[in-house]
Each structure stands twice: as structure tokens, then as C-alpha cells.
Amino acid sequence: MLLVNPTKKISGTVYAPPSKSYTHRAVICAGLSKGTSKIVRPLNSQDCISSLTSMEALGSKIDLKSDKWIIESEGILKVPKNVIDIGNSGTTLRILTSLVSQVKSNSNTKTSHNDKNDKKSIVILNGDNSIRKRPMGPLIDALSQLNIEVLSNDNKAPLVIKSSEIAGNTVKIRGDMSSQFISSLMMLLPFNSQDSKILIEGDLKSEPYLDVTIDVLDKFGVNIKKENNNYLIDANQTYKATDYIVEGDYSSASYLIAMGVLLDSDITIKNLFKHSKQGDKEILSIVKRMGANLEVKEDEVIIKNSTNSKFKLKGIDIDVKNTPDLVPTIAVLGCFAEGTTTIYNGEHVRIKECDRLMACTKELTKMGAKIEEKPDGLIIKGLDLENGETLKGAELETYHDHRLIMAFTMAGMLAQGQTKIKGEEAVSISFPNFVDVIKSIGANIEIVN
């Protein structure tokens, strides 16, 4: 359990953890490339290790160094000896569901991934209880359009994927549920013997994550073009081994940024790139729109905030269509903003590690937050801070959701009295040293058994 006590001031210099999204994609691309790739400054977290061990099970050789992962691959996916357990990693599950359809039963096979004479094989993907609740229907339906068969119980893991050549050159998929489904198809279709097109049906959400996928694929020699709301993939492309440096993660840094804005602070957050393609870079614009003052440099963010000043956050309306992972951070910011903060266009936030709209409402209400759950978002009425209103310490559930742990820790640092946070170990999914990092800048917290 994590015990969080009120914190008056934070100061110092910290590094944002490496990006989880970039690490996942780079590791998997390396496993698809013939040769040796070095992933420099990867995120050494549970989720990313799931991708790493999965690629090892599929034939890659892995050598772990302190600051890099060396991945050697023959450029083909081999049939694993056992079920692949991807733990709690939804990204790993969704991307590999497509890719393992291209496994080769003969380790000496040097032919195309589409060799018609290749013997049919199966791969089974499974994970923890949370993963077995994640909907996979849209991706399974899309793969069926390409002659790839996925067997499941109610479109959820465990999944049994049959090896198959890709048939057809056009696939339709809804864009409003998870961008990871589309990223999965993007990484599969370069193996097609025909030029391919992904047709997005309906509203496309979390598009910046697709930009991240395209960016990583480009570094590994695979080209994808966007045309209106669709994506074009050339046939018979080959992944090329490369050395890849992972940039800092704006999703995880959002908690540090929000702490800096809400507390008496003088902090510098390094390894955040001004021109990153990450959608959650939007946290900088959000806190600025709310009235915060921060300095954004090429590779760092500096926040100096005095709670003795007349500065106040203002409630705003925030569209989270492309930034679902920021919702817990914004929910806490809204509690300390004057007026009303409205989060909308976030139906897809309900199918993350947990239903984050429900969880933020239920748990922050325990602390005295004025928060209302809507089908696609939250309405948060700011506390009357001038008249002594504030959050109160409480015992909070986190539903094995790493982002809730970090957001609720931030809330506890600003609350009156002690806050007890259950399941703090899940923070290792994306920010393994979160507790040590924020303690180093002054957070009054401790872990107890």
C-alpha cells in the first residue's frame, strides 16, 4: 500500500521515463527485422517486457544491457513452444494478434511470409484477468477480411490465431474504439503481396498513436502513407534492423507536470521533446489553457510556481478524443480549478486497464471531489479553495491501473490528511521508479506492507 501525505513543495530535476508506446513498437519492429537492432534507453516496465519476452518466444535472441536491449532476429516469426503470456499489456496483445498469423513452422524457412506451401500453425495469446476482459472484436473482424482466422470466447483473450497468408488488399475497421487495432494492421500489412489500404469507418480517435506507429515503422524501413482518413501500405516491404533511441513519455510526465502546476514548485523535467509526435504532449497546452505558466524548451519543461501568488487554475472544456490516457490527470487538475472542467469525447477511456471514467468518479468522490460521470466523459466542479475546501485523505482502489495510481498519488499530495492507495505495484507497468522519482523532489509518501 502507498501512503501519501500532504506535500507543500517540490523542487529539483527529474527525467521523464522513456515512452511506453515507442518502446513497444520498437521492440516488435526489431523482432520483425533481419539482423541486430539496439533499442537504446527503452522503458524497462512490465508492459514493455511483455513485448520483449513475446518476441523472444517468437524466435528473437535478446541481450539486456543496462541502457539498451539488443535484439537479434532472422526476420521471421517462429512458432512458439508454449502459450504466449502477455501479462497486462494490451498493446502487446493487440499488435501481436495480427502479426503471429505470419509465423513459420520451419525455422529454416527463408521464403516470403506468404509462402503458400508453409504448414499451418497456431499461436495462443493469453494474459491476466484484466487482459481477458479487453474487447478484441473489431480487430478479429478486420483480420477475417484478410483471411486470417482468430478463435476466441466472446472476442476476448485467450486468442488462438491460425497462421495464414494475407488475402485481399482492403480492410475496413472502426476508428472510435482503439487505435491499437489499426496499429496492429499497419504492422501486418507490409507483409502482404499486394498493396493494401486500411479504411477507417466512423470517427478516428487516438490518432496521434497512429502517428507514433508510422514514425517507428519509418525508422525500421517500412513506409505507410495517409490519404484522407485512410492508410496506404506498399506490398512486400521488409523490416530493416536499426539502432533506435526511445524518447521520453508525455503520458507519464503528465503527473509531474500537474504536480508542478498545483504545488509550490521549482522543477525541471528532462527528456521531453518539444516536437514529439506523442498525442499526450497536449498536457502542455491543457495546463496553459487552464492558466499555468511553464517554460518549454527543446528537450525539457521547466515549472516554477508559487502557491502564495494570485495564480489560479481555471476550469476548461477538454476534448480527449486523441488523449485518453490524460483523463486521470485532468480529473485531478479539475478538482483544483476555479469553475467547471468538462472532459468529453472519451467513450474509449472505458476500455483501458479499467473503466477510467467510472474509477475516477468513484474514487475521487471518496476524497470529496465534485465530479459527475457522463457516457463520454466527466464534469468536475472545482473546490472552493479560498473558503477552505480541499480534497480529504481516503483509502482508494486503483483497479490494477497504473495511471490511476499516479493520478491519485498526486491528489493525495494535495489533500488534507493521509491517503492510502491500494495496488501501488501496478505502477511498474509504465513508470517503474515513480515513487522514487517523486520522493526525490519532495513528495511525502512511503510504501508499507
Side-chain angles (χ1 to χ4, degrees):
M1 181 176 289
L2 183 61
L3 302 183
V4 185
N5 298 296
T7 299
K8 292 183 178 180
K9 182 179 177 63
I10 56 174
S11 62
T13 298
V14 293
Y15 283 80
S19 166
K20 185 161 77 82
S21 296
Y22 274 98
T23 301
H24 273 303
R25 288 156 176 78
V27 163
I28 294 171
C29 285
L32 296 171
S33 306
K34 185 175 182 179
T36 301
S37 299
K38 295 177 184 176
I39 312 302
V40 182
R41 293 204 297 267
L43 177 64
N44 190 8
S45 72
Q46 284 183 2
D47 266 21
C48 296
I49 292 294
S50 289
S51 284
L52 189 71
T53 56
S54 295
M55 298 315 291
E56 185 174 36
L58 290 163
S60 295
K61 295 179 180 179
I62 309 296
D63 184 9
L64 304 184
K65 304 294 184 182
S66 60
D67 63 340
K68 58 181 170 286
W69 294 342
I70 301 172
I71 302 172
E72 183 181 350
S73 173
E74 295 179 17
I76 59 172
L77 298 178
K78 300 177 183 178
V79 179
K81 295 179 180 178
N82 299 299
V83 173
I84 295 180
D85 182 357
I86 52 82
N88 186 246
S89 178
T91 304
T92 308
L93 175 68
R94 286 162 173 167
I95 292 179
L96 289 190
T97 295
S98 296
L99 290 172
V100 297
S101 68
Q102 304 304 293
V103 295
K104 295 298 177 184
S105 57
N106 183 351
S107 62
N108 295 318
T109 300
K110 299 297 182 182
T111 55
S112 159
H113 280 250
N114 295 322
D115 185 355
K116 294 183 179 180
N117 296 319
D118 203 35
K119 183 180 177 182
K120 291 272 185 180
S121 303
I122 65 168
V123 178
I124 301 174
L125 301 176
N126 203 0
D128 66 10
N129 288 331
S130 173
I131 280 295
R132 291 192 288 272
K133 296 175 184 176
R134 300 277 192 102
M136 293 290 292
L139 180 57
I140 293 172
D141 291 343
L143 291 172
S144 70
Q145 299 170 43
L146 299 168
N147 193 41
I148 294 170
E149 186 176 1
V150 180
L151 305 178
S152 68
N153 180 20
D154 196 27
N155 288 328
K156 296 181 177 70
L159 304 177
V160 178
I161 301 100
K162 294 185 178 181
S163 66
S164 178
E165 64 177 281
I166 302 167
N169 60 2
T170 302
V171 57
K172 298 178 181 179
I173 188 166
R174 59 189 291 185
D176 63 346
M177 196 165 182
S178 174
S179 65
Q180 291 173 353
F181 298 153
I182 304 167
S183 289
S184 183
L185 295 171
M186 285 179 172
M187 297 179 76
L188 167 71
L189 287 170
F191 295 123
N192 198 356
S193 60
Q194 309 174 60
D195 293 346
S196 305
K197 179 183 286 188
I198 302 173
L199 304 178
I200 308 300
E201 296 187 321
D203 195 19
L204 177 59
K205 296 191 175 180
S206 300
E207 184 177 1
Y209 285 102
L210 300 181
D211 296 335
V212 168
T213 301
I214 292 169
D215 187 39
V216 178
L217 287 172
D218 178 69
K219 300 298 190 300
F220 282 86
V222 172
N223 180 48
I224 294 184
K225 298 183 288 289
K226 185 176 182 183
E227 182 183 81
N228 299 321
N229 213 32
N230 306 313
Y231 294 90
L232 309 179
I233 303 98
D234 292 339
N236 298 316
Q237 296 191 65
T238 302
Y239 285 79
K240 296 177 175 60
T242 190
D243 293 348
Y244 188 89
I245 300 174
V246 180
E247 64 179 68
D249 189 78
Y250 270 98
S251 304
S252 295
S254 73
Y255 314 102
L256 302 172
I257 292 167
M259 287 177 193
V261 166
L262 291 170
L263 290 164
D264 191 352
S265 62
D266 184 356
I267 61 172
T268 298
I269 308 165
K270 291 184 173 291
N271 199 32
L272 290 178
F273 293 95
K274 186 176 183 179
H275 301 292
S276 171
K277 294 183 182 297
Q278 295 177 60
D280 285 350
K281 184 178 68 173
E282 183 65 17
I283 187 63
L284 301 174
S285 297
I286 289 170
V287 295
K288 285 181 178 180
R289 286 173 55 208
M290 297 181 87
N293 183 32
L294 62 166
E295 184 180 358
V296 181
K297 295 190 173 182
E298 283 300 316
D299 59 355
E300 65 184 23
V301 175
I302 300 169
I303 307 172
K304 296 182 179 181
N305 179 44
S306 172
T307 54
N308 294 324
S309 70
K310 295 182 179 180
F311 159 75
K312 294 178 184 176
L313 287 181
K314 306 288 185 183
I316 58 174
D317 295 344
I318 304 169
D319 183 345
V320 295
K321 170 183 174 180
N322 290 325
T323 55
D325 285 343
L326 292 182
V327 166
T329 310
I330 299 168
V332 176
L333 285 166
C335 292
F336 295 92
E338 188 176 69
T340 300
T341 297
T342 302
I343 298 170
Y344 67 95
N345 216 355
E347 301 96 331
H348 51 318
V349 178
R350 295 189 183 277
I351 56 170
K352 295 290 185 176
E353 279 78 349
C354 71
D355 180 343
R356 288 177 179 162
L357 298 180
M358 174 280 297
C360 285
T361 303
K362 183 177 179 180
E363 303 306 318
L364 290 175
T365 296
K366 291 179 183 177
M367 302 182 77
K370 301 173 182 178
I371 183 168
E372 179 183 355
E373 180 181 350
K374 293 293 186 180
D376 71 334
L378 303 171
I379 298 176
I380 307 124
K381 293 185 177 178
L383 299 166
D384 188 354
L385 303 174
E386 289 190 353
N387 288 317
E389 273 192 344
T390 189
L391 295 181
K392 304 291 194 301
E395 187 168 304
L396 306 179
E397 299 286 348
T398 54
Y399 309 90
H400 200 69
D401 191 319
H402 51 123
R403 304 215 178 278
L404 294 183
I405 295 164
M406 291 183 275
F408 294 167
T409 298
M410 178 173 66
M413 290 166 63
L414 290 146
Q416 184 180 68
Q418 188 178 77
T419 298
K420 298 178 180 180
I421 298 177
K422 297 180 179 179
E424 81 289 339
E425 65 278 357
V427 78
S428 63
I429 288 171
S430 62
F431 199 157
N433 61 339
F434 171 74
V435 170
D436 290 338
V437 167
I438 64 172
K439 284 181 73 172
S440 76
I441 56 175
N444 187 7
I445 62 175
E446 63 175 323
I447 296 176
V448 297
N449 295 324

